[in-house]
Amino acid sequence: MPPSDDAGLTRPEGQAGNQALDRFRQVRARTLDLARPLSAEDQAVQSMPDASPTKWHLAHTTWFFETFILRPLAPGYRVFDERYGYLFNSYYEAVGARQPRPLRGLITRPGLDEVLAYRARIDQHMELLLESGETPELLELGLAHEEQHQELILMDILHLFAQSALSPAYRPAPAAAVGAPPGEAGWVEFAGGLVEIGHAGSGFCFDNEGPRHKVWLEPYRLADRLVTNGDWLAFIEDGGYRRPEFWLSEGWAQVQAEGWGAPLYWRETEGGWREMTLHGLRPVDPAAPVAHVSYFEAEAFAAWAGRRLPTEAEWEHAAQGPVQGRFLDASPAGRLTPAPVSGRGAGLRQMYGELWQWTRSAYSPYPGFRPAAGAVGEYNGKFMVGQMVLRGGACVTPPGHLRASYRNFFYPHQRWMFSGLRLADDGA
Amino acid sequence: MPPSDDAGLTRPEGQAGNQALDRFRQVRARTLDLARPLSAEDQAVQSMPDASPTKWHLAHTTWFFETFILRPLAPGYRVFDERYGYLFNSYYEAVGARQPRPLRGLITRPGLDEVLAYRARIDQHMELLLESGETPELLELGLAHEEQHQELILMDILHLFAQSALSPAYRPAPAAAVGAPPGEAGWVEFAGGLVEIGHAGSGFCFDNEGPRHKVWLEPYRLADRLVTNGDWLAFIEDGGYRRPEFWLSEGWAQVQAEGWGAPLYWRETEGGWREMTLHGLRPVDPAAPVAHVSYFEAEAFAAWAGRRLPTEAEWEHAAQGPVQGRFLDASPAGRLTPAPVSGRGAGLRQMYGELWQWTRSAYSPYPGFRPAAGAVGEYNGKFMVGQMVLRGGACVTPPGHLRASYRNFFYPHQRWMFSGLRLADDGA
Amino acid sequence: MPPSDDAGLTRPEGQAGNQALDRFRQVRARTLDLARPLSAEDQAVQSMPDASPTKWHLAHTTWFFETFILRPLAPGYRVFDERYGYLFNSYYEAVGARQPRPLRGLITRPGLDEVLAYRARIDQHMELLLESGETPELLELGLAHEEQHQELILMDILHLFAQSALSPAYRPAPAAAVGAPPGEAGWVEFAGGLVEIGHAGSGFCFDNEGPRHKVWLEPYRLADRLVTNGDWLAFIEDGGYRRPEFWLSEGWAQVQAEGWGAPLYWRETEGGWREMTLHGLRPVDPAAPVAHVSYFEAEAFAAWAGRRLPTEAEWEHAAQGPVQGRFLDASPAGRLTPAPVSGRGAGLRQMYGELWQWTRSAYSPYPGFRPAAGAVGEYNGKFMVGQMVLRGGACVTPPGHLRASYRNFFYPHQRWMFSGLRLADDGA
Amino acid sequence: MPPSDDAGLTRPEGQAGNQALDRFRQVRARTLDLARPLSAEDQAVQSMPDASPTKWHLAHTTWFFETFILRPLAPGYRVFDERYGYLFNSYYEAVGARQPRPLRGLITRPGLDEVLAYRARIDQHMELLLESGETPELLELGLAHEEQHQELILMDILHLFAQSALSPAYRPAPAAAVGAPPGEAGWVEFAGGLVEIGHAGSGFCFDNEGPRHKVWLEPYRLADRLVTNGDWLAFIEDGGYRRPEFWLSEGWAQVQAEGWGAPLYWRETEGGWREMTLHGLRPVDPAAPVAHVSYFEAEAFAAWAGRRLPTEAEWEHAAQGPVQGRFLDASPAGRLTPAPVSGRGAGLRQMYGELWQWTRSAYSPYPGFRPAAGAVGEYNGKFMVGQMVLRGGACVTPPGHLRASYRNFFYPHQRWMFSGLRLADDGA
Ligand SMILES: [Fe+3]
Ligand SMILES: [Fe+3]
Ligand SMILES: [Fe+3]
Ligand SMILES: [Fe+3]
C-alpha cells in the first residue's frame, strides 16, 4: 500500500486492524468530500467530451467495485441496477455497451441522491467483504482507479467553471502569499549510462509501469525547478505564440485553428493577465509554475529557450528519492493551485506534486509489456498510441497515489489537466 | 386577452378586479407547475443545441419582463444581477452579448434556487407595477412569450428524456383507453376565391400575424382529421423511408445521412413499435395522430398518399370557428400526447390542439409587414427565411394561447416539436 | 422556340428547313465555344461541392440526350459506355446510382478527348433522329437544360479562377468604358389587384413556371434600376456588414461564421476594392450593378435602405414586355460582367439580363403544380424547399433562354451565381 | 552517393565524369518518366488532402532546387515566376505563405506545359551550376527529396485512380505468375544487448537518422517474411475487424467511424476479394504481402496473432546487411505491387523493398538530435509527434534511396502509402 498521508486512520483497538478496510473507507470518503462543495447541478453537467460530470465519476468508480469485485466475489450479491452497467461503464469493451462518452452530461436520471444511495449500498457490501479478512486481487486497482477519478473531478470541475460567465470558485482562495521570484533555474547533471526504469518491488503499480527494464541514457541535465508563469510571460512577450519556428507542425496548426495565445485558463484583462483556478479568477503569479499547457506549448517553449523536454527515462532515473511533494490537500481550506518553489535546495525541486511534467516520450509499451487478461487488461494498454507521457503528479493528485515509475499520458493538444514542464538538456 | 380556460380566477371582491394582474399570476404560476416534476439536474441539462434547459427557460422568461418592462417602466427599479443579461438573453442583438445558445446547458450557476429567487423578486416588482393599475404595453407580449416557453419546456424535456437509457416519464400515463380506429379520413371542400387572412380585431397578436390581407385561393379540400400512426405505419411498410421518389431532394439527403426510418421518438422493439412520450415509452397507438415528424417526412407522406399539404392561407381560411381543441392540460394527471379523433363530426376535426400541422407555406412576411421598432422587433421578423409554417397548436400549447392567425415555424428537418399533419388536395 | 439571337442560322435553301435540328446544333455548338478557352486541366477540376467541372457539364448534358431521348426513341441505339450513367447522372434517383456530387472533380478518366468524342457520337445520333423530321417531346427540355449548364460553366469557372493566386481571366477584358454614375434610382408604381402570373401560351417552359394562376397584389413600386456597386459601397461604409440590426438571424450567423465583409469576389487592395471577374481581377466600377451577393446580403441591404425586395409575383407582373436585355455574348470579345444602366428611360430598366434579381419569395410550388411523371419529374419539383426565387436572367444566361415567368432558385447563403438585386417598396 | 541501380549512366569518356550532374539528370528524368503515362487531367487533380497532384509534385521538387540552391548560389539567377513560391512551397514556414495543402488540386494554372517548362529552365540552370564542378551542400538533399516525391506520385495516383468508377490502371499488369503459398513464417532470433543504431559513416542521410546512439535491446525475434494477404484473410475471417479486444482504443474508434473491414484498396466482389493496384483492379493474391494497412490494423493483427510489431531499433539492428530488395522498377513494364517471398532462405527475407514495415516506435528525435539551421531544418524535425516509424522501403521507393537507418513516418490511421508489416516477438 502506498504511504498514507492522512493521520489518525489507525484502528482504535491498537491492534493491526484491517488495513484494507481502512484504506477503502478513506479513499471512498475523500471522493465524497471532493463532491461536497458542488450542487447537484454542478455535478450533472459535462463541459466537453473529454470531461465527465462529478456524478458520473461518483457512480463509475462505484460500478468498478461492483463489476470487478462484488459480482465475481461476493457470494449471492445482487446487482444494484442492471441499467447502471450501460450508464457508468467508461470504456471496457469486454463488459458491454455503454453511454457514449460525449453524452455523459445527459444523465439527469439517476439523480445525485440515487447515485449516493448506490455508493452507500456498494460500500456496505464491500465493507462486508473486506471485514471477512479477504483482500480481493483487484481491490488496490479499484482504489487507485478511484484516486485517479478524484483528480479528474477537480480537473473537470475547473473546466466547467472556467466556461461560466460567473467564474465561480470551487473552494475559497487560501491566504495566498504571492511567491517571491525564484530566480534563474539551476541545473542538475546526470551521467546516464545503462540504467533501469520501471516499477520495482512487490507493491501495487499499474500494468503500464512495468516490466522494469534497462535503458541507455546519454549524459543529461535537468532544471532544478518547474517553468514559471514569469518564464512563460517572457515567452509570450517574445512572440512565442506567433512565431512558427518554435512549434511542431501539428502544434502550429493547433495554435492557428484555436487562436491560442496563452495557457488554457489565462485571460487578458485590463488589470493584466488573470487565470481561472479552483479558487476562482486570480491574478497570474509570476513565481508560480505555469499550468494547463499542452505538449505542443511545452515543446515550443523549450525550443524558444534553446533546451528540450526530458525523456521519461531521464526523469525517472533522476527521481530516485522519496515521493515527497505537494499533493492534493483535501481539507476545505487547502490550496489547489501549484505553488512557487520554496527555498533554494541543493538539487531537484518540485519533482513530485505541483504539476504533471511533460516528457518528450511517447506513451508506448515497455519491453515485455503484456496487458492483463480480461476486462481490466483494457485499463492502460489500449491507449498506447498518439499520447505523450507526463510524470510526477500534481497538486490535485491524491497523496500516496504516486510512484517514481508512475506514467500519466495525454494527447499533445490537451491542456485541461494540471500539466506543466521542467526543462532538460544534453549533458556535457 | 385571449379566452381563458382556467376557472375561478375572478377576484373574490366581485368587482372588475385587476385582470392583467390575475393573468400575470396565472401564467407565471403555470411555468412553475410545469417545472415541479423535474429535479434540479433535469432542469440544468441541455440535450441538443435546439433545446434549452428548463432552468434557462425559467430565467429567460423572467429576464424578458425585467428587461422590457421593469427596467424602462418601474421607477427606481434596480437590476437583480447585471450578469443575468448575458446568461439569459436569447437572441436580442440590440440588448447585448449573450451565452452562446449551444452552451446554455453549462449554466450550473446560478443554481435553481437562485433562479427561483430571481423569479420571485421580479414577480414581486411586476405585481407592484400591475397593482398600480398600469398595463404596460409589452405585458401581453411577455405573457404570450412565457406561454411559448411553457411549450418549449415540455418539448425540450421530452427530448432530454428520450436520450436517457431509462426512458423516464415526465408525468405518469393517464388511464389510456387506446383509441378506436378512426377509419378513412373524410374531405371537406372549400370554394376558395378572394379571401382574407391575418389577424383581425384589436386583441393581442404577434407581429407576424399581420397585416390582414387578401389572398386568392383556388378551390381546395382538407382532410377532416390528422394523419394517424396507423396511416404512418402503412407508409413505412410500403417502403416510405426507402423510396426516394416521395421525397424532396434535401429530405432524402437527410433520411440517408441520419438513417431515418420512423418518426423521431419511435423505437422498433421485439414487442413492436414503441414511442417515447412525456408519459415514458408507450406502445404506438395506431388511432392517435402521428407526432414528431419533420416537414420532409410530412411532404413525403403526402406524396406517397397522392395528396399534398395545405397552404397556411387554406388552413386559416378553413379554421374560421372558435378556437377549440385539446391544449395543454396542466393538471398533474393530464394527458400530454395527441389523442385519437373522437366521434365522426360533420366537418373538420382536430383543427386546434393535439398537434401543430405542417403547411406547405414558407415562413415569409405578409404584405406590408414591418417589424416593431427596438429590440422586440427581433421577436419574429428576423427568422423569416428557410422555415415552414405550422398551424393550430398542440396538446402542449397553453390554452388561450392560440389564434386562427397564429403562425408557428420550424426548419424542415426539425422534429422535436409536437408536429403532425393534415392532408389537403386541389378542389374540384 | 424562344427568339434566337444568333444570325445566319436559317437554312440556305430558303425553305422552312429543320428548325429543331438547327436549334440543336446551335445550342450544342455554343457549349463547345464556351469550353474552348479552357485547358483540359481547367475543365477537370471542381472548386467546391456546389460547382462542377466543365468536362462534367459537357458530358452530363450529353448524357441527358442519350438517356431521355436516344435510349427510348432511337431505334437500335447502343449506349456509348454503360459506365457513363454512373459518372454523369446528376441527381435523377429514378435512373440509378451516381458519382457523389462533391467528387465530380475526381473524374480524370474519361479524359476530355473521350468526352468530346462522346459528344460527337451523341450529336450524330441526335441529328439522325432530328433529320427524320421527328421532334422528340423532351428535345426542348434537353436544350433548355443545356443552356442552363452553359451558364453554370461560366459560374463555375469564375469560382475556380477566383481561388487561384494568379487570378486568371477566362476572356480578355473588353474595352471597358467605366460607366457614368447612374444617379438616384427612380420608382415605378403598380396598382396591384388580382393579377395572373405563371407561364401562358403554348411555348416551352419548365414545369415550375405553371400553372398560370391568380395572385392578389397590394399596390407596390419597383426601383427602375439594379442596385449598384456604388450603392453597395455606401452600405459597407455605413457598417452594413457589422450591424446585426439589418440582418436576418441566419444571415448574421453566416456573416460571422464566414467573416463576410463584401460581395463574394471583392478584394480590398492597397489600390482600393477590386473584383474577380471572368475578365480577371478588375477595379470595382461604382456604376455597375453589384453582383455575387447572397439573399442574406440582399435582404440586409434592403433593410439598411429602408426598402424591401419584391415578391416574384410583383416582379413578374411588372415585367410584361418583350424579353430584352443583355444576355450571354458568346463572341470571344464579349463582356461577361454586368454593365451600368444606360440612358434614363421612362420605366423599368435592367429587368432582363445583367444579373438575376433576388425576390423575397421562397421557391414553392404554384397552386395546382404537379411534377411530370418519370425521371424528368425530378427536374424542378424536388428542390422546392429552403430556396429563394430569382428572376430576370443574367449576362451569362444564353439569349433566348428566358421568359417573364422563368423561376431561378438558390439557397439564401449562396453567391457564386450572377445575382444582384432591385429594391421594391409598398405602394401608396 | 547511394548505390545506383540504373545501368549505363557512366560517362562515355570513361573518365571520372561529373557524378553529381549524372545523378541529378538521372533523378530528374525518372520523375518525368513516372508522369508520362498520365494525362494533364490526371496530373492536376487532388483526391484527398493528404495527397497531391502529380503536377504539383513536378513543380514543388523543382521549386526546392530553385529556392534552396539556385537562389542562394547561382550568380545572377532570376526567379522563374515569383508567384510559384506561393503555389509550390509545401510547408516551409521560413520561406513564406503558401497554397493551403487541401487546395493543391485547384491549381489548374500554371498548366502542365508551363510546369514542364519550369522544370526545363531550372534543370538548365542546375546543370550549368553542376557543370562548373561545384556540388552544392543541399544537392543531395534536393535529390533525395525528389526521390521521396517520386514515391508520393505513385501513392497519390493510386489513391486517385482508386476513387474512379473505371478503376484505371496506371501501368499494364505484368505477366503475373500468382505466387506459391509461402508457408508458415519462420523466426530469426537476436540476442539484443547494448547496440547502436542511427546513421553511421559519411554518406548522405536525413537529419532524423542521427545521431548514431546506443540502445539496449532485450532478446527478440523477427518473422522471416512479411505478413501476407493469406494471413490477413484468416484475420478477417476470424472477425478481426469486428472484435474490439485486438484493437487500440483509437483504432477501434476508427474502425467503427469509417466502417473498415479490409485493407484500404480491397473490395469484396461476387468473384471474391479484389484489390485496386497501380495495375488496376486485381484478384487478391494470398501469397503476396498485405499492403495499405494502417498502424491500427497492423497492431490489431499482431494482437490477434499473439505477437507484436518490432521496435525500430530491433528492426535496424537486424537489418545490418546490404540494402537489397525489390525497389521501384521504373521501366514501363515493371511490377508495382509487392511480390510473394521467393525461395526459402536461411534468414530474414523481404527486409528491403516490397513494403514499408510498421514498427511500434513513435517517431521521436534521437538523443542529441538538433534540426538544421534555416528553412531545411523544417524538413523532418517538426513532424516528430503523433506519428509512427516505418522501415525498409517499398516497391515504389526509388532504388538507391534507402538506408538501414532510414526512418519513414505516418499517422497511425493512414493507409494510402505502401505499408505492410512483419511480426516480432520477445526472445527466449
Ligand atoms: Fe475509470
Ligand atoms: Fe424567448
Ligand atoms: Fe443537369
Ligand atoms: Fe517536399
Side-chain angles (χ1 to χ4, degrees), chain C residues 120 167 171 205 207 218 227 256 276 339 365:
Chain C
S167 300
R171 190 185 275 184
C205 74
D207 56 356
E218 299 296 321
V227 169
Q256 298 191 288
M276 181 62 188

Side-chain angles (χ1 to χ4, degrees), chain C residues 1-248:
Chain C
M1 198 178 84
S4 162
D5 60 307
D6 292 3
L9 270 168
T10 47
R11 292 249 144 184
E13 335 305 327
Q15 99 247 30
N18 187 328
Q19 285 191 318
L21 182 58
D22 290 348
R23 172 144 161 73
F24 178 81
R25 283 181 173 143
Q26 173 198 352
V27 170
R28 296 285 286 170
R30 193 197 287 123
T31 307
L32 293 183
D33 288 346
L34 290 175
R36 198 156 292 124
L38 302 169
S39 71
E41 295 166 67
D42 293 335
Q43 297 190 44
V45 164
Q46 179 176 33
S47 60
M48 66 162 171
D50 281 346
S52 298
T54 301
K55 183 174 75 175
W56 188 90
H57 289 299
L58 294 177
H60 163 69
T61 48
T62 304
W63 166 88
F64 193 97
F65 287 112
E66 183 183 40
T67 302
F68 296 123
I69 295 184
L70 291 182
R71 288 181 81 141
L73 298 183
Y77 175 75
R78 296 260 298 281
V79 166
F80 185 82
D81 188 323
E82 285 290 353
R83 302 170 305 179
Y84 283 17
Y86 180 85
L87 293 173
F88 301 123
N89 176 4
S90 52
Y91 55 66
Y92 298 90
E93 300 281 350
V95 182
R98 72 215 71 97
Q99 179 86 355
R101 185 186 177 111
L103 305 184
R104 288 178 185 165
L106 299 188
I107 303 174
T108 66
R109 312 277 181 104
L112 179 56
D113 287 350
E114 289 164 280
V115 164
L116 293 176
Y118 177 42
R119 282 186 74 89
R121 168 88 177 288
I122 265 55
D123 283 354
Q124 205 176 12
H125 280 276
M126 283 295 298
E127 293 182 7
L128 249 133
L129 188 70
L130 298 178
E131 278 162 3
S132 76
E134 190 176 1
T135 302
E137 187 197 339
L138 295 180
L139 176 67
E140 193 47 47
L141 180 63
L143 292 169
H145 172 254
E146 181 137 356
E147 288 171 341
Q148 292 183 315
H149 280 275
Q150 288 166 358
E151 178 164 346
L152 285 165
I153 285 172
L154 293 172
M155 286 161 57
D156 293 354
I157 276 296
L158 174 54
H159 189 267
L160 173 65
F161 283 2
Q163 314 310 309
S164 168
L166 310 189
S167 300
Y170 165 79
R171 190 185 275 184
V178 165
E184 284 287 294
W187 293 93
V188 180
E189 304 276 341
F190 297 88
L194 196 61
V195 308
E196 285 201 352
I197 67 163
H199 185 68
S202 59
F204 170 82
C205 74
F206 287 115
D207 56 356
N208 63 5
E209 299 174 51
R212 190 164 176 85
H213 62 283
K214 292 193 181 64
V215 178
W216 177 267
L217 295 180
E218 299 296 321
Y220 67 103
R221 41 189 179 149
L222 297 183
D224 68 349
R225 63 160 172 83
L226 299 181
V227 169
T228 64
N229 288 324
D231 299 333
W232 206 266
L233 281 162
F235 172 64
I236 291 176
E237 281 158 17
D238 196 34
Y241 284 93
R242 295 190 309 270
R243 294 167 60 184
E245 63 262 38
F246 305 132
W247 294 81
L248 290 164

